[in-house]
Amino acid sequence: MRAGLVTLALAVPLVLMACGPASSDDGGGDGDAGGPAGTPVGPGEVFTLAPGGSARLADGALTVTFKDVAGDSRCPTGAQCIWEGDATVAVSVAEGGGAPAAHELHTTLQPGEVAVGGYTLRLVALNPYPEQGDPIGAGDYRADFTLTPN
């Protein structure tokens, strides 16, 4: 009986590790584009970034980095608000190997998009949406973007 319990105690952690999420070396995690050089994306493709994550056009023409959420005043679910609110997403965009330029994109107000290097970078969505009494941690945000040719 004792040998069976020891075997079970050793087997359970192994089974749990085997069933856990797979790790990857791309730095993205959770399906988010990221990594040191940025995950390649195609024009018009929706891509998701976590704060600090980067994505680059497959041809290397542009690299987008989601810096952080500079402000989030969106009306939380479960609350009554007089307006829907707005969130501000800070990004940097580098053309080719050039220095990055800072931009702010908004969920409700303007600008929700910016023209850079022959493309339009558009903020498609910011998640999660706030819930009343449940603050969002800075690292929990995920922003969806597109890069479309002008």
Side-chain angles (χ1 to χ4, degrees):
M1 169 98 170
R2 186 174 174 114
L5 289 176
V6 170
T7 303
L8 181 60
L10 293 173
V12 169
L14 293 174
V15 170
L16 292 175
M17 287 189 324
C19 294
S23 64
S24 70
D25 293 331
D26 70 357
D30 298 322
D32 304 316
T39 300
V41 297
E45 179 182 329
V46 175
F47 58 96
T48 302
L49 296 176
S54 296
R56 64 178 165 74
L57 282 171
D59 65 3
L62 291 175
T63 300
V64 176
T65 302
F66 174 17
K67 298 307 235 177
D68 62 12
V69 175
D72 190 352
S73 67
R74 296 175 294 170
C75 182
T77 56
Q80 287 189 345
C81 303
I82 57 172
W83 82 297
E84 63 187 314
D86 180 60
T88 305
V89 174
V91 298
S92 66
V93 182
E95 294 184 47
H103 300 279
E104 288 188 341
L105 302 175
H106 295 265
T107 58
T108 305
L109 301 175
Q110 296 300 318
E113 60 187 34
V114 63
V116 287
Y119 289 84
T120 298
L121 172 65
R122 184 167 73 96
L123 175 62
V124 176
L126 179 64
N127 292 298
Y129 196 85
E131 294 184 24
Q132 189 171 16
D134 188 13
I136 302 169
D140 295 336
Y141 284 105
R142 300 296 180 266
D144 296 340
F145 301 96
T146 58
L147 277 166
T148 53
N150 290 339

